[in-house]
Every structure is written in C-alpha cells, then in structure tokens.
Amino acid sequence: MIVQSWARVGRNLALLALVLGLSTIYGLHYADTLSRPWVLHASPKGLLTLDAEQALQQFRQGQFQRLSGPGVGYGVTTQALWLVLELPAGQHFSPRQFVTVSPALLDRVDLYQVLPDDPVPHLRSTSGYQVQPSLRPLAQRQTVFDLHIDDRLPTTWLVRVQSRLYTAVLVSVQDMGAHQVGEFVDGFLLGAALFLGLMSLVLSAVVRWGSPDGYALNLSWMVLGFMAFLAMWHGHWRLWLDWASPTAAALLDATVASATLWAFYRWAASLMRLKQYPAWVLSGLRWAAFMSPLACALALQRGWSPLLGATVAAAAMILLIFVAVVLQSKHGRIQSPIYLVFGLMALVQVVIKVLAERGMLPYTSGTAYGWQIALAVSCLALMLDLLARAMDERQSARLERDRLHAMLLQEKAQLEWRVKDRAQALSQANETLRLTEGSQRELLSLASHEFRTPAAMIKSTLDAMACVEQPLPPGVAQRVESLRAASNRLIFLANKLIAHDRWRELSLKPQLRAIQAQEWVLEVMGDYDDDVPVRLDLAEEDIEMWGDPVLLRIALQTLIDNALVHAADGRQAVRVGLAAGPGHAEITVIDAGPGVADADKAQVFERFFSSGSGPSSGLGLSIVAAVARMHGGQASVSDALPRGACFHLRVPLAARQEPGGGQHAA
C-alpha cells in the first residue's frame, strides 16, 4: 500500500542518515590518527607543575609524554594541563600558522614561546572561554593563536590549559588556507543546525500527530533546545554576546542547559504518554528536569562549571529512559525497535566521550564530537519519522475521504430514489384524500341543505299553529313544543354544517372588504331566535371594519354558541359588544359561566384543546383565532365581572388599509 511506503521511505532515510553519521565519526577519528609534521607533548596526571618555567624544565627533563594523536584527556580536575608543541625545521610550514585549541569551553589557555637556550618561557597570548571575545588574539568562537614562524628553524611553544568542566584538549596546526576552510565548514554546520531546528518547527506547525500530548511541538522544542545547546557548547553564544563578565556567561550556560533538559523532558514525556510508559518514569524525568537548575547552581557555588550540574541531571534522565526502554522491551511494547538503534548510538557515543575525556580512550575529533553527530542524526531520524507519519496520515485521510465521498454519493442516490418514491406515494395519497374529502363535503353540504328546508317548513307550520285562537289540548301542546325544539336543533345543526363547509372554502381565499360593523352584527344576530338570551351592546358611532363578512360571521357565531353552552343555567343573557379602538374594531362576547382558568388562557385558542367542562371538540375557538390572524387581528380572553369569561375579537378598521389593499400593523 502507498501508506506503508511512506513509513518505509522514512526508515530508509533514517538508516541512510545513521550510516552517514557513523561514517563521519569514523572519518574524524581516522583523520586524527594520520601522521603530522608537528609533535605534541603533555604533562602526565599527578605531575605537580607550578608555573611555566617549571613546566619547561620538566619537559626538558623528559617528564612529559609524547602523544600519538592531537588530543589528551585528564577528566574533571582543578590541575592545569601543560602541553608542548614542537614545530620541527624543514617541514615546509608557511610563515603564518594558526594553532587551534579546542573545545571552546576551556576556561583559559595561555601560549608561551620557548626560545633556544632560554630557561624562561615568554607569555605571548591568552585566550579561552573566560576571556572576553573582543580581547582574544582572534575574535573567534574557540581558542585560536596566530603564529609567525621561520620554517628554517625549529620552534617550541608551551600551552597551559585550565578548565572547570573537564580537562580534555584537541590541538591542530593549520596554514591560512586550511584555517579558512575550517571556518567555512564551521559556518556551514552552524547553518545546517539552524535549518534542522527551523525545519522541526515548521513540521510541528504542519503535523498534528499526537496532538493530545503535543508530540510534534515538543519534538520541535527539543530539537531547537539541542541546537541552542550546541551553539553554546561551541562558543557561539559567548562570541555573539561578547559579555565581559564570566559570571554572566556562566549563568547563560546554566540557563541554556536547563532549558534544553526541560525541552527534552517535555518531548520524552509526550512520547511516553503516547506509548503508555509507567507513571514513575515520567515523575523521575520531571524531577530530574526540575533539579537541573539547582545542580547548576551547586556546581557554580563550588567553583565548577554549571554544565557539570546539567550533566548530572542529564545522566539521571538517560538512566531512567534506558531502564524504561528495557522494561518496555521485556513486555513487547516497543513498536519501532529500529529507532532504538539511534538512541543506543547516541548513548554509546556519550560513553565514549566520557571515557576519552578521562584518558581511558584516545581523545580525537571523533570521540570529542561524535556524540553531537549522533544526537543530530537521532533528531533527524525522529523528524523523518514524524514526516513519514504525517504523510501516512495525509494519505489515510485522503483514502478515507474518497471512501466517505463514494458512500455519500451512494447514499445520496438511494435517498433521492426513496424521496422520489415517497413523494409519488404521498402525492397519490393526497389526491385520494382530496377526492374523498370532496365527496364527503359534497355529501354533507347536500344533506345540510336537504335537512334545513324541511326543518324550516316544520318550524313555520309550528309557528303558525301558535297563532290559532283556540288553545291546543295540553298533550298536543307538549308534543308541538317538542317538535319545535327538535326542528330548531335540526336547523342549528344544518347551519353549523353549512358554516363549517363555507369556512373550509373561504379560509383558502378570504374576500376582504369594508363592512359596516353595526349592520353586520345585527345581520348575524338574525340567525338566532328571539328567545335566545343574547343582549347587544353596540357603539353609537358608525364603525367600518375591514374583513371577510362570512369568515367573521363564523367566528362571531362560534363565540356566541360557545357562550350559550357555558352559561350558568342556560338562561343567563350573553352580552355581545362592539366598540372602536385605536386602529381596530373590537367585538366582545361575555357569558356568565364558570370562566376560563388562568392556566388555560394561554392555550384555550389552540387546536383540540378542551378544559373538560361540557361537550367540546376543541376546534371552535381555534377557528376564531385563525380568522383573527387572517385579518391581521387578534383573539383573546379575559375574566368578566362578577363571573364568567369575556372573549375579544379584534379586526382592523377599514380606514387603516392602504389604497393598494395592504394592511397597516395594528
């Protein structure tokens, strides 16, 4: 799969970087084993040397050791290291030679010139990490002396080295061309280190792998911290800042070292949380990182370099990580064992460096700087792994997006088919319902008209019988009264059915026009018998309202019928009022019934709502509210005094309508 190929490419590049790193370390070590045209001697450990004159005397007495390589290591000691550099005659030395004494962290390096048959060496120059860069013989990051020699005569130079960190020295003698090449390589390596740090920062901004623990960002900070530490180790910070105070430089070293260890802890902790390492490992790393500033301060107090304290904290962290990795390996939880090779390589190079600094192994450029190359390769491998994971996730996301897109298209097609099928079925059902409802309405309308005409004839006959001069027998009169009540009930039901049918038709397209409110109310009341207990309370001034007279008629009759049903004993008068308000006409229907509870007033006009008092379908008042909304008005209810309910129907006045038929807000 393509996803697997990215991880394979990342591993191959990491292995290539490993091979190049090991080759570079071996090349540096091998170059220092080649023969040189100059000879280097060193004072042995334990040899007490008080000054340069005594050192020269000890050398001439043969107490110094001739070195096979360019370096020597004494370890951590307060004793000064004395070196003798001999440049034999006839070796074709250029008149100008540059002597470099490294590493850059050597506190003080004194150069003495030894003249033939002169027992007293002469101090020519002083340099070192504790010397302000602008006051050094050459303002460079490490100790460099510019010698002017005569190739025809042998020359001897005495070098005194003091260091609070460790006493291990590398010496090189180069002409102008080789020195310039070395400076170019040094600048190139510095640029490569900065590029590596910036690349890690860019990767952390782009890659989101392990975002819950911030793995990518912590890796970038760790790489940047390592680059800052290398810049300090090689004297770049000291050279750039050019501080005169050695104490300030020491505090800067302690800050950089502690910050680097803290960044290393953050990265290791985020990785271990992702890999589910034991909690005690994280706690130990945290304590070691926290104790680093304290260890640096303690080293400063005792007159040592603060980097010794940081070294102790780093050793504790490395030991914890080593133990944790061993435990994870025993439980089979190592998912990428290839990257353990990089960690082991860095650890081995650190051990080799420590042993070489103590004189147990030859101190060469390979042993002195191999640990830095190993750590740089490890950081590069981690970033390649991070980049490979990012490409894997990007490819996986693309494949997952394509799969989801295909599923979405398939679901969309199925959904469109289902919607189309359901829409067709719904259309058929609506058509069937429309036909059925039309037939039902036609039947009800026909039946209502057929019932109302005979009922009206029966009622007219019964009303005529009431005008007969001769009274009817009591039994006949009772039956006539029963027939009259039945005919009235039949006429009422027929009218209700016809009104409901008209409501269904007119609610779709209301016919709005100006209505003389008083005449319209009297016309509506003509549908009720004279014995119906309804009392009118109409305004004296003329009121012209805007609405559909048929729909408003249905609404008013519904309110009156509802009030008659809920009257206290069925004989209490229902009051119908008409008044003009600001921009509207208000019709009120007041009964003397039990009224409407406060809890029910907000929903009494909702469809199918019924308070439970008396027979009710819950549709009447909802129709009233719908009619009010169609007219831009409002239906409401309030309490009547001393008892009962008062229903309000507000309709806009005709004067509020615009010439085009629009309606102002009431």
Side-chain angles (χ1 to χ4, degrees), residues 229 257 260-261 264 285 288-289 291-292 295 307-321 347 350:
F229 181 78
T260 302
L261 290 180
F264 176 75
L285 290 176
M291 294 300 291
S292 175
L307 298 182
L308 281 177
T311 302
V312 174
M317 297 175 73
I318 293 174
L319 180 61
L320 281 172
I321 293 176
L347 181 61
V350 170

Side-chain angles (χ1 to χ4, degrees), residues 1-8 206-207 386-404:
M1 292 180 62
I2 299 179
V3 174
Q4 295 178 350
S5 67
W6 282 114
R8 187 163 52 250
V206 175
V207 179
L386 184 64
L387 181 60
R389 290 177 182 271
M391 299 303 296
D392 288 351
E393 286 194 352
R394 185 181 295 272
Q395 187 66 26
S396 299
R398 185 181 297 111
L399 294 176
E400 182 68 14
R401 184 176 64 248
D402 293 341
R403 185 182 70 84
L404 292 177

Side-chain angles (χ1 to χ4, degrees), residues 381-536:
L382 289 173
M383 287 191 295
L384 289 174
D385 175 70
L386 184 64
L387 181 60
R389 290 177 182 271
M391 299 303 296
D392 288 351
E393 286 194 352
R394 185 181 295 272
Q395 187 66 26
S396 299
R398 185 181 297 111
L399 294 176
E400 182 68 14
R401 184 176 64 248
D402 293 341
R403 185 182 70 84
L404 292 177
H405 183 67
M407 291 178 58
L408 183 61
L409 291 178
Q410 183 180 2
E411 289 292 332
K412 179 182 178 182
Q414 294 180 359
L415 181 61
E416 289 178 352
W417 179 83
R418 288 196 297 266
V419 169
K420 184 177 180 180
D421 183 66
R422 296 291 177 84
Q424 185 177 1
L426 182 61
S427 178
Q428 293 177 356
N430 286 337
E431 182 64 22
T432 302
L433 180 62
R434 187 184 65 81
L435 294 175
T436 302
E437 186 180 17
S439 300
Q440 181 184 12
R441 289 173 54 195
E442 184 178 357
L443 176 61
L444 289 175
S445 179
L446 179 61
S448 300
H449 284 86
E450 291 298 327
F451 288 159
R452 188 169 64 172
T453 302
M457 293 176 62
I458 294 173
K459 183 177 182 298
S460 299
T461 303
L462 294 176
D463 290 341
M465 290 178 64
C467 297
V468 177
E469 296 180 358
Q470 186 178 358
L472 298 175
V476 176
Q478 185 177 2
R479 291 183 179 182
V480 169
E481 188 62 28
S482 298
L483 289 174
R484 186 191 304 275
S487 64
N488 288 336
R489 180 61 179 170
L490 185 58
I491 292 172
F492 177 78
L493 292 176
N495 289 335
K496 293 293 287 185
L497 288 174
I498 294 172
H500 186 268
D501 184 59
R502 297 196 67 186
W503 152 255
R504 294 292 301 273
E505 294 180 357
L506 295 174
S507 62
L508 299 178
K509 298 179 66 176
Q511 303 296 321
L512 302 177
R513 62 181 178 84
I515 305 172
Q516 294 295 330
Q518 287 88 341
E519 296 178 2
W520 173 79
V521 172
L522 294 175
E523 182 182 348
V524 172
M525 296 308 303
D527 293 339
Y528 292 90
D529 293 336
D530 296 337
D531 57 350
V532 175
V534 178
R535 191 179 69 189
L536 299 179

